[in-house]
mmCIF file with all atom_site columns, all heavy atoms in Angstrom:
data_model
loop_
_atom_site.group_PDB
_atom_site.id
_atom_site.type_symbol
_atom_site.label_atom_id
_atom_site.label_alt_id
_atom_site.label_comp_id
_atom_site.label_asym_id
_atom_site.label_entity_id
_atom_site.label_seq_id
_atom_site.pdbx_PDB_ins_code
_atom_site.Cartn_x
_atom_site.Cartn_y
_atom_site.Cartn_z
_atom_site.occupancy
_atom_site.B_iso_or_equiv
_atom_site.pdbx_formal_charge
_atom_site.auth_seq_id
_atom_site.auth_comp_id
_atom_site.auth_asym_id
_atom_site.auth_atom_id
_atom_site.pdbx_PDB_model_num
ATOM 1   N N   . ARG A 1 133 ? 210.167 120.872 129.568 1.00 92.00 ? 409 ARG A N   1
ATOM 2   C CA  . ARG A 1 133 ? 209.212 120.021 128.924 1.00 92.00 ? 409 ARG A CA  1
ATOM 3   C C   . ARG A 1 133 ? 209.865 118.719 128.364 1.00 92.00 ? 409 ARG A C   1
ATOM 4   O O   . ARG A 1 133 ? 211.019 118.794 127.864 1.00 92.00 ? 409 ARG A O   1
ATOM 5   C CB  . ARG A 1 133 ? 208.530 120.711 127.761 1.00 92.00 ? 409 ARG A CB  1
ATOM 6   C CG  . ARG A 1 133 ? 207.754 122.000 128.236 1.00 92.00 ? 409 ARG A CG  1
ATOM 7   C CD  . ARG A 1 133 ? 206.763 121.670 129.344 1.00 92.00 ? 409 ARG A CD  1
ATOM 8   N NE  . ARG A 1 133 ? 205.789 120.737 128.822 1.00 92.00 ? 409 ARG A NE  1
ATOM 9   C CZ  . ARG A 1 133 ? 204.665 121.000 128.184 1.00 92.00 ? 409 ARG A CZ  1
ATOM 10  N NH1 . ARG A 1 133 ? 204.333 122.238 127.970 1.00 92.00 ? 409 ARG A NH1 1
ATOM 11  N NH2 . ARG A 1 133 ? 203.824 120.078 127.858 1.00 92.00 ? 409 ARG A NH2 1
ATOM 12  N N   . TYR A 1 137 ? 209.198 119.727 121.261 1.00 91.00 ? 413 TYR A N   1
ATOM 13  C CA  . TYR A 1 137 ? 208.098 120.353 120.502 1.00 91.00 ? 413 TYR A CA  1
ATOM 14  C C   . TYR A 1 137 ? 206.907 120.891 121.349 1.00 91.00 ? 413 TYR A C   1
ATOM 15  O O   . TYR A 1 137 ? 205.997 121.419 120.847 1.00 91.00 ? 413 TYR A O   1
ATOM 16  C CB  . TYR A 1 137 ? 207.651 119.348 119.429 1.00 91.00 ? 413 TYR A CB  1
ATOM 17  C CG  . TYR A 1 137 ? 208.754 118.797 118.661 1.00 91.00 ? 413 TYR A CG  1
ATOM 18  C CD1 . TYR A 1 137 ? 209.033 117.426 118.640 1.00 91.00 ? 413 TYR A CD1 1
ATOM 19  C CD2 . TYR A 1 137 ? 209.525 119.577 117.917 1.00 91.00 ? 413 TYR A CD2 1
ATOM 20  C CE1 . TYR A 1 137 ? 210.059 116.954 117.913 1.00 91.00 ? 413 TYR A CE1 1
ATOM 21  C CE2 . TYR A 1 137 ? 210.582 119.143 117.109 1.00 91.00 ? 413 TYR A CE2 1
ATOM 22  C CZ  . TYR A 1 137 ? 210.864 117.793 117.143 1.00 91.00 ? 413 TYR A CZ  1
ATOM 23  O OH  . TYR A 1 137 ? 211.889 117.301 116.394 1.00 91.00 ? 413 TYR A OH  1
ATOM 24  N N   . ARG A 1 186 ? 213.318 117.321 137.878 1.00 97.00 ? 462 ARG A N   1
ATOM 25  C CA  . ARG A 1 186 ? 214.366 116.840 136.976 1.00 97.00 ? 462 ARG A CA  1
ATOM 26  C C   . ARG A 1 186 ? 215.753 117.420 137.334 1.00 97.00 ? 462 ARG A C   1
ATOM 27  O O   . ARG A 1 186 ? 216.751 116.906 136.901 1.00 97.00 ? 462 ARG A O   1
ATOM 28  C CB  . ARG A 1 186 ? 214.038 117.200 135.510 1.00 97.00 ? 462 ARG A CB  1
ATOM 29  C CG  . ARG A 1 186 ? 212.841 116.609 134.960 1.00 97.00 ? 462 ARG A CG  1
ATOM 30  C CD  . ARG A 1 186 ? 212.400 117.251 133.642 1.00 97.00 ? 462 ARG A CD  1
ATOM 31  N NE  . ARG A 1 186 ? 211.226 116.659 133.021 1.00 97.00 ? 462 ARG A NE  1
ATOM 32  C CZ  . ARG A 1 186 ? 210.005 117.036 133.361 1.00 97.00 ? 462 ARG A CZ  1
ATOM 33  N NH1 . ARG A 1 186 ? 209.762 117.896 134.325 1.00 97.00 ? 462 ARG A NH1 1
ATOM 34  N NH2 . ARG A 1 186 ? 208.938 116.487 132.784 1.00 97.00 ? 462 ARG A NH2 1
ATOM 35  N N   . GLN A 1 189 ? 219.210 116.857 141.129 1.00 97.00 ? 465 GLN A N   1
ATOM 36  C CA  . GLN A 1 189 ? 220.609 116.581 141.289 1.00 97.00 ? 465 GLN A CA  1
ATOM 37  C C   . GLN A 1 189 ? 221.428 117.265 140.261 1.00 97.00 ? 465 GLN A C   1
ATOM 38  O O   . GLN A 1 189 ? 222.456 116.784 139.846 1.00 97.00 ? 465 GLN A O   1
ATOM 39  C CB  . GLN A 1 189 ? 220.781 115.064 141.225 1.00 97.00 ? 465 GLN A CB  1
ATOM 40  C CG  . GLN A 1 189 ? 220.171 114.385 142.430 1.00 97.00 ? 465 GLN A CG  1
ATOM 41  C CD  . GLN A 1 189 ? 220.403 112.904 142.522 1.00 97.00 ? 465 GLN A CD  1
ATOM 42  O OE1 . GLN A 1 189 ? 220.417 112.192 141.508 1.00 97.00 ? 465 GLN A OE1 1
ATOM 43  N NE2 . GLN A 1 189 ? 220.576 112.336 143.718 1.00 97.00 ? 465 GLN A NE2 1
ATOM 44  N N   . TRP A 1 211 ? 212.715 109.953 141.355 1.00 97.00 ? 487 TRP A N   1
ATOM 45  C CA  . TRP A 1 211 ? 213.394 108.729 141.610 1.00 97.00 ? 487 TRP A CA  1
ATOM 46  C C   . TRP A 1 211 ? 214.081 108.715 142.937 1.00 97.00 ? 487 TRP A C   1
ATOM 47  O O   . TRP A 1 211 ? 214.726 107.693 143.308 1.00 97.00 ? 487 TRP A O   1
ATOM 48  C CB  . TRP A 1 211 ? 214.405 108.472 140.530 1.00 97.00 ? 487 TRP A CB  1
ATOM 49  C CG  . TRP A 1 211 ? 215.483 109.565 140.593 1.00 97.00 ? 487 TRP A CG  1
ATOM 50  C CD1 . TRP A 1 211 ? 216.665 109.481 141.330 1.00 97.00 ? 487 TRP A CD1 1
ATOM 51  C CD2 . TRP A 1 211 ? 215.448 110.871 140.006 1.00 97.00 ? 487 TRP A CD2 1
ATOM 52  N NE1 . TRP A 1 211 ? 217.306 110.667 141.233 1.00 97.00 ? 487 TRP A NE1 1
ATOM 53  C CE2 . TRP A 1 211 ? 216.654 111.508 140.437 1.00 97.00 ? 487 TRP A CE2 1
ATOM 54  C CE3 . TRP A 1 211 ? 214.574 111.539 139.182 1.00 97.00 ? 487 TRP A CE3 1
ATOM 55  C CZ2 . TRP A 1 211 ? 216.904 112.878 140.080 1.00 97.00 ? 487 TRP A CZ2 1
ATOM 56  C CZ3 . TRP A 1 211 ? 214.859 112.898 138.857 1.00 97.00 ? 487 TRP A CZ3 1
ATOM 57  C CH2 . TRP A 1 211 ? 216.025 113.481 139.309 1.00 97.00 ? 487 TRP A CH2 1
ATOM 58  N N   . GLU A 1 216 ? 218.797 111.160 149.452 1.00 98.00 ? 492 GLU A N   1
ATOM 59  C CA  . GLU A 1 216 ? 219.259 111.928 148.301 1.00 98.00 ? 492 GLU A CA  1
ATOM 60  C C   . GLU A 1 216 ? 218.713 113.383 148.248 1.00 98.00 ? 492 GLU A C   1
ATOM 61  O O   . GLU A 1 216 ? 219.378 114.299 147.850 1.00 98.00 ? 492 GLU A O   1
ATOM 62  C CB  . GLU A 1 216 ? 218.919 111.172 147.017 1.00 98.00 ? 492 GLU A CB  1
ATOM 63  C CG  . GLU A 1 216 ? 219.818 109.950 146.830 1.00 98.00 ? 492 GLU A CG  1
ATOM 64  C CD  . GLU A 1 216 ? 219.348 109.006 145.736 1.00 98.00 ? 492 GLU A CD  1
ATOM 65  O OE1 . GLU A 1 216 ? 218.232 109.192 145.303 1.00 98.00 ? 492 GLU A OE1 1
ATOM 66  O OE2 . GLU A 1 216 ? 220.136 108.133 145.390 1.00 98.00 ? 492 GLU A OE2 1
ATOM 67  N N   . GLU A 1 222 ? 221.607 119.817 151.028 1.00 97.00 ? 498 GLU A N   1
ATOM 68  C CA  . GLU A 1 222 ? 222.944 120.105 151.644 1.00 97.00 ? 498 GLU A CA  1
ATOM 69  C C   . GLU A 1 222 ? 223.798 120.933 150.672 1.00 97.00 ? 498 GLU A C   1
ATOM 70  O O   . GLU A 1 222 ? 224.573 121.785 151.165 1.00 97.00 ? 498 GLU A O   1
ATOM 71  C CB  . GLU A 1 222 ? 223.562 118.823 152.077 1.00 97.00 ? 498 GLU A CB  1
ATOM 72  C CG  . GLU A 1 222 ? 224.762 118.942 152.924 1.00 97.00 ? 498 GLU A CG  1
ATOM 73  C CD  . GLU A 1 222 ? 224.422 119.117 154.402 1.00 97.00 ? 498 GLU A CD  1
ATOM 74  O OE1 . GLU A 1 222 ? 223.236 119.023 154.748 1.00 97.00 ? 498 GLU A OE1 1
ATOM 75  O OE2 . GLU A 1 222 ? 225.321 119.229 155.284 1.00 97.00 ? 498 GLU A OE2 1
ATOM 76  N N   . TYR A 1 223 ? 223.717 120.654 149.395 1.00 97.00 ? 499 TYR A N   1
ATOM 77  C CA  . TYR A 1 223 ? 224.585 121.406 148.440 1.00 97.00 ? 499 TYR A CA  1
ATOM 78  C C   . TYR A 1 223 ? 224.182 122.905 148.555 1.00 97.00 ? 499 TYR A C   1
ATOM 79  O O   . TYR A 1 223 ? 225.014 123.772 148.449 1.00 97.00 ? 499 TYR A O   1
ATOM 80  C CB  . TYR A 1 223 ? 224.245 120.963 147.022 1.00 97.00 ? 499 TYR A CB  1
ATOM 81  C CG  . TYR A 1 223 ? 225.117 119.833 146.592 1.00 97.00 ? 499 TYR A CG  1
ATOM 82  C CD1 . TYR A 1 223 ? 224.771 118.527 146.579 1.00 97.00 ? 499 TYR A CD1 1
ATOM 83  C CD2 . TYR A 1 223 ? 226.408 120.106 145.974 1.00 97.00 ? 499 TYR A CD2 1
ATOM 84  C CE1 . TYR A 1 223 ? 225.531 117.514 146.137 1.00 97.00 ? 499 TYR A CE1 1
ATOM 85  C CE2 . TYR A 1 223 ? 227.192 119.043 145.462 1.00 97.00 ? 499 TYR A CE2 1
ATOM 86  C CZ  . TYR A 1 223 ? 226.775 117.771 145.564 1.00 97.00 ? 499 TYR A CZ  1
ATOM 87  O OH  . TYR A 1 223 ? 227.588 116.775 145.038 1.00 97.00 ? 499 TYR A OH  1
ATOM 88  N N   . ARG A 1 240 ? 207.910 108.126 140.757 1.00 98.00 ? 516 ARG A N   1
ATOM 89  C CA  . ARG A 1 240 ? 207.577 107.120 139.728 1.00 98.00 ? 516 ARG A CA  1
ATOM 90  C C   . ARG A 1 240 ? 207.349 105.736 140.330 1.00 98.00 ? 516 ARG A C   1
ATOM 91  O O   . ARG A 1 240 ? 208.289 105.208 141.006 1.00 98.00 ? 516 ARG A O   1
ATOM 92  C CB  . ARG A 1 240 ? 208.656 107.085 138.692 1.00 98.00 ? 516 ARG A CB  1
ATOM 93  C CG  . ARG A 1 240 ? 208.701 108.056 137.621 1.00 98.00 ? 516 ARG A CG  1
ATOM 94  C CD  . ARG A 1 240 ? 207.882 107.547 136.423 1.00 98.00 ? 516 ARG A CD  1
ATOM 95  N NE  . ARG A 1 240 ? 207.421 108.646 135.530 1.00 98.00 ? 516 ARG A NE  1
ATOM 96  C CZ  . ARG A 1 240 ? 208.104 109.061 134.513 1.00 98.00 ? 516 ARG A CZ  1
ATOM 97  N NH1 . ARG A 1 240 ? 209.268 108.582 134.224 1.00 98.00 ? 516 ARG A NH1 1
ATOM 98  N NH2 . ARG A 1 240 ? 207.596 110.040 133.711 1.00 98.00 ? 516 ARG A NH2 1
ATOM 99  N N   . ARG D 1 133 ? 228.271 113.954 142.377 1.00 92.00 ? 198 ARG D N   1
ATOM 100 C CA  . ARG D 1 133 ? 228.181 113.076 143.566 1.00 92.00 ? 198 ARG D CA  1
ATOM 101 C C   . ARG D 1 133 ? 226.936 113.375 144.397 1.00 92.00 ? 198 ARG D C   1
ATOM 102 O O   . ARG D 1 133 ? 226.567 114.553 144.506 1.00 92.00 ? 198 ARG D O   1
ATOM 103 C CB  . ARG D 1 133 ? 229.395 113.301 144.403 1.00 92.00 ? 198 ARG D CB  1
ATOM 104 C CG  . ARG D 1 133 ? 230.707 112.925 143.638 1.00 92.00 ? 198 ARG D CG  1
ATOM 105 C CD  . ARG D 1 133 ? 230.715 111.510 143.139 1.00 92.00 ? 198 ARG D CD  1
ATOM 106 N NE  . ARG D 1 133 ? 230.486 110.490 144.153 1.00 92.00 ? 198 ARG D NE  1
ATOM 107 C CZ  . ARG D 1 133 ? 231.465 109.893 144.873 1.00 92.00 ? 198 ARG D CZ  1
ATOM 108 N NH1 . ARG D 1 133 ? 232.691 110.263 144.638 1.00 92.00 ? 198 ARG D NH1 1
ATOM 109 N NH2 . ARG D 1 133 ? 231.185 109.043 145.788 1.00 92.00 ? 198 ARG D NH2 1
ATOM 110 N N   . TYR D 1 137 ? 229.975 116.226 150.263 1.00 91.00 ? 202 TYR D N   1
ATOM 111 C CA  . TYR D 1 137 ? 231.208 115.856 150.933 1.00 91.00 ? 202 TYR D CA  1
ATOM 112 C C   . TYR D 1 137 ? 231.936 114.766 150.316 1.00 91.00 ? 202 TYR D C   1
ATOM 113 O O   . TYR D 1 137 ? 232.994 114.351 150.737 1.00 91.00 ? 202 TYR D O   1
ATOM 114 C CB  . TYR D 1 137 ? 230.840 115.509 152.393 1.00 91.00 ? 202 TYR D CB  1
ATOM 115 C CG  . TYR D 1 137 ? 230.040 116.595 153.099 1.00 91.00 ? 202 TYR D CG  1
ATOM 116 C CD1 . TYR D 1 137 ? 228.749 116.356 153.601 1.00 91.00 ? 202 TYR D CD1 1
ATOM 117 C CD2 . TYR D 1 137 ? 230.558 117.923 153.198 1.00 91.00 ? 202 TYR D CD2 1
ATOM 118 C CE1 . TYR D 1 137 ? 228.046 117.352 154.207 1.00 91.00 ? 202 TYR D CE1 1
ATOM 119 C CE2 . TYR D 1 137 ? 229.757 118.947 153.782 1.00 91.00 ? 202 TYR D CE2 1
ATOM 120 C CZ  . TYR D 1 137 ? 228.519 118.652 154.300 1.00 91.00 ? 202 TYR D CZ  1
ATOM 121 O OH  . TYR D 1 137 ? 227.792 119.627 154.844 1.00 91.00 ? 202 TYR D OH  1
ATOM 122 N N   . ARG D 1 186 ? 221.562 111.658 135.873 1.00 97.00 ? 251 ARG D N   1
ATOM 123 C CA  . ARG D 1 186 ? 220.881 112.737 136.571 1.00 97.00 ? 251 ARG D CA  1
ATOM 124 C C   . ARG D 1 186 ? 220.595 113.904 135.676 1.00 97.00 ? 251 ARG D C   1
ATOM 125 O O   . ARG D 1 186 ? 219.760 114.776 135.953 1.00 97.00 ? 251 ARG D O   1
ATOM 126 C CB  . ARG D 1 186 ? 221.705 113.284 137.770 1.00 97.00 ? 251 ARG D CB  1
ATOM 127 C CG  . ARG D 1 186 ? 222.001 112.228 138.816 1.00 97.00 ? 251 ARG D CG  1
ATOM 128 C CD  . ARG D 1 186 ? 223.039 112.719 139.766 1.00 97.00 ? 251 ARG D CD  1
ATOM 129 N NE  . ARG D 1 186 ? 223.335 111.803 140.859 1.00 97.00 ? 251 ARG D NE  1
ATOM 130 C CZ  . ARG D 1 186 ? 224.159 110.708 140.761 1.00 97.00 ? 251 ARG D CZ  1
ATOM 131 N NH1 . ARG D 1 186 ? 224.734 110.486 139.617 1.00 97.00 ? 251 ARG D NH1 1
ATOM 132 N NH2 . ARG D 1 186 ? 224.380 109.986 141.776 1.00 97.00 ? 251 ARG D NH2 1
ATOM 133 N N   . GLN D 1 189 ? 217.479 114.954 131.690 1.00 97.00 ? 254 GLN D N   1
ATOM 134 C CA  . GLN D 1 189 ? 216.460 115.971 131.330 1.00 97.00 ? 254 GLN D CA  1
ATOM 135 C C   . GLN D 1 189 ? 216.900 117.368 131.747 1.00 97.00 ? 254 GLN D C   1
ATOM 136 O O   . GLN D 1 189 ? 216.115 118.240 132.037 1.00 97.00 ? 254 GLN D O   1
ATOM 137 C CB  . GLN D 1 189 ? 215.095 115.615 132.005 1.00 97.00 ? 254 GLN D CB  1
ATOM 138 C CG  . GLN D 1 189 ? 214.540 114.342 131.387 1.00 97.00 ? 254 GLN D CG  1
ATOM 139 C CD  . GLN D 1 189 ? 213.158 113.947 131.916 1.00 97.00 ? 254 GLN D CD  1
ATOM 140 O OE1 . GLN D 1 189 ? 212.852 114.098 133.113 1.00 97.00 ? 254 GLN D OE1 1
ATOM 141 N NE2 . GLN D 1 189 ? 212.324 113.349 131.046 1.00 97.00 ? 254 GLN D NE2 1
ATOM 142 N N   . TRP D 1 211 ? 214.871 106.978 136.120 1.00 97.00 ? 276 TRP D N   1
ATOM 143 C CA  . TRP D 1 211 ? 213.461 107.028 136.300 1.00 97.00 ? 276 TRP D CA  1
ATOM 144 C C   . TRP D 1 211 ? 212.778 107.018 134.995 1.00 97.00 ? 276 TRP D C   1
ATOM 145 O O   . TRP D 1 211 ? 211.534 107.003 134.900 1.00 97.00 ? 276 TRP D O   1
ATOM 146 C CB  . TRP D 1 211 ? 213.034 108.242 137.103 1.00 97.00 ? 276 TRP D CB  1
ATOM 147 C CG  . TRP D 1 211 ? 213.380 109.439 136.208 1.00 97.00 ? 276 TRP D CG  1
ATOM 148 C CD1 . TRP D 1 211 ? 212.612 110.107 135.339 1.00 97.00 ? 276 TRP D CD1 1
ATOM 149 C CD2 . TRP D 1 211 ? 214.622 110.166 136.231 1.00 97.00 ? 276 TRP D CD2 1
ATOM 150 N NE1 . TRP D 1 211 ? 213.219 111.125 134.744 1.00 97.00 ? 276 TRP D NE1 1
ATOM 151 C CE2 . TRP D 1 211 ? 214.477 111.169 135.243 1.00 97.00 ? 276 TRP D CE2 1
ATOM 152 C CE3 . TRP D 1 211 ? 215.875 110.031 136.859 1.00 97.00 ? 276 TRP D CE3 1
ATOM 153 C CZ2 . TRP D 1 211 ? 215.517 112.017 134.931 1.00 97.00 ? 276 TRP D CZ2 1
ATOM 154 C CZ3 . TRP D 1 211 ? 216.880 110.894 136.559 1.00 97.00 ? 276 TRP D CZ3 1
ATOM 155 C CH2 . TRP D 1 211 ? 216.741 111.934 135.584 1.00 97.00 ? 276 TRP D CH2 1
ATOM 156 N N   . GLU D 1 216 ? 210.844 109.059 126.997 1.00 98.00 ? 281 GLU D N   1
ATOM 157 C CA  . GLU D 1 216 ? 211.475 110.199 127.578 1.00 98.00 ? 281 GLU D CA  1
ATOM 158 C C   . GLU D 1 216 ? 212.985 110.219 127.127 1.00 98.00 ? 281 GLU D C   1
ATOM 159 O O   . GLU D 1 216 ? 213.530 111.301 126.983 1.00 98.00 ? 281 GLU D O   1
ATOM 160 C CB  . GLU D 1 216 ? 211.370 110.189 129.106 1.00 98.00 ? 281 GLU D CB  1
ATOM 161 C CG  . GLU D 1 216 ? 209.963 110.554 129.546 1.00 98.00 ? 281 GLU D CG  1
ATOM 162 C CD  . GLU D 1 216 ? 209.698 110.310 131.065 1.00 98.00 ? 281 GLU D CD  1
ATOM 163 O OE1 . GLU D 1 216 ? 210.456 109.621 131.658 1.00 98.00 ? 281 GLU D OE1 1
ATOM 164 O OE2 . GLU D 1 216 ? 208.688 110.771 131.521 1.00 98.00 ? 281 GLU D OE2 1
ATOM 165 N N   . GLU D 1 222 ? 216.155 113.841 121.251 1.00 97.00 ? 287 GLU D N   1
ATOM 166 C CA  . GLU D 1 222 ? 215.609 114.710 120.279 1.00 97.00 ? 287 GLU D CA  1
ATOM 167 C C   . GLU D 1 222 ? 216.048 116.179 120.481 1.00 97.00 ? 287 GLU D C   1
ATOM 168 O O   . GLU D 1 222 ? 216.330 116.942 119.497 1.00 97.00 ? 287 GLU D O   1
ATOM 169 C CB  . GLU D 1 222 ? 214.053 114.677 120.272 1.00 97.00 ? 287 GLU D CB  1
ATOM 170 C CG  . GLU D 1 222 ? 213.369 115.370 119.142 1.00 97.00 ? 287 GLU D CG  1
ATOM 171 C CD  . GLU D 1 222 ? 213.263 114.495 117.948 1.00 97.00 ? 287 GLU D CD  1
ATOM 172 O OE1 . GLU D 1 222 ? 213.746 113.343 117.896 1.00 97.00 ? 287 GLU D OE1 1
ATOM 173 O OE2 . GLU D 1 222 ? 212.721 114.931 116.881 1.00 97.00 ? 287 GLU D OE2 1
ATOM 174 N N   . TYR D 1 223 ? 216.221 116.594 121.705 1.00 97.00 ? 288 TYR D N   1
ATOM 175 C CA  . TYR D 1 223 ? 216.632 118.011 122.008 1.00 97.00 ? 288 TYR D CA  1
ATOM 176 C C   . TYR D 1 223 ? 218.089 118.143 121.391 1.00 97.00 ? 288 TYR D C   1
ATOM 177 O O   . TYR D 1 223 ? 218.357 119.249 120.912 1.00 97.00 ? 288 TYR D O   1
ATOM 178 C CB  . TYR D 1 223 ? 216.745 118.171 123.536 1.00 97.00 ? 288 TYR D CB  1
ATOM 179 C CG  . TYR D 1 223 ? 215.583 118.716 124.234 1.00 97.00 ? 288 TYR D CG  1
ATOM 180 C CD1 . TYR D 1 223 ? 214.591 117.864 124.849 1.00 97.00 ? 288 TYR D CD1 1
ATOM 181 C CD2 . TYR D 1 223 ? 215.309 120.075 124.288 1.00 97.00 ? 288 TYR D CD2 1
ATOM 182 C CE1 . TYR D 1 223 ? 213.496 118.358 125.462 1.00 97.00 ? 288 TYR D CE1 1
ATOM 183 C CE2 . TYR D 1 223 ? 214.174 120.618 124.914 1.00 97.00 ? 288 TYR D CE2 1
ATOM 184 C CZ  . TYR D 1 223 ? 213.255 119.716 125.474 1.00 97.00 ? 288 TYR D CZ  1
ATOM 185 O OH  . TYR D 1 223 ? 212.195 120.242 126.168 1.00 97.00 ? 288 TYR D OH  1
ATOM 186 N N   . ARG D 1 240 ? 215.899 102.592 138.693 1.00 98.00 ? 305 ARG D N   1
ATOM 187 C CA  . ARG D 1 240 ? 215.545 102.384 140.110 1.00 98.00 ? 305 ARG D CA  1
ATOM 188 C C   . ARG D 1 240 ? 214.355 101.497 140.229 1.00 98.00 ? 305 ARG D C   1
ATOM 189 O O   . ARG D 1 240 ? 213.345 101.789 139.638 1.00 98.00 ? 305 ARG D O   1
ATOM 190 C CB  . ARG D 1 240 ? 215.184 103.776 140.719 1.00 98.00 ? 305 ARG D CB  1
ATOM 191 C CG  . ARG D 1 240 ? 216.336 104.578 141.221 1.00 98.00 ? 305 ARG D CG  1
ATOM 192 C CD  . ARG D 1 240 ? 216.626 104.256 142.705 1.00 98.00 ? 305 ARG D CD  1
ATOM 193 N NE  . ARG D 1 240 ? 217.922 104.607 143.111 1.00 98.00 ? 305 ARG D NE  1
ATOM 194 C CZ  . ARG D 1 240 ? 218.233 105.781 143.662 1.00 98.00 ? 305 ARG D CZ  1
ATOM 195 N NH1 . ARG D 1 240 ? 217.286 106.708 143.827 1.00 98.00 ? 305 ARG D NH1 1
ATOM 196 N NH2 . ARG D 1 240 ? 219.515 106.071 143.990 1.00 98.00 ? 305 ARG D NH2 1
#
Side-chain angles (χ1 to χ4, degrees):
Chain A
R409 299 305 302 273
Y413 307 120
R462 295 167 179 85
Q465 293 183 326
W487 66 89
E492 288 169 346
E498 192 84 1
Y499 271 95
R516 274 270 162 91
Chain D
R198 299 305 302 273
Y202 306 120
R251 296 167 179 84
Q254 294 183 325
W276 66 88
E281 287 168 347
E287 190 84 0
Y288 271 95
R305 274 269 162 91

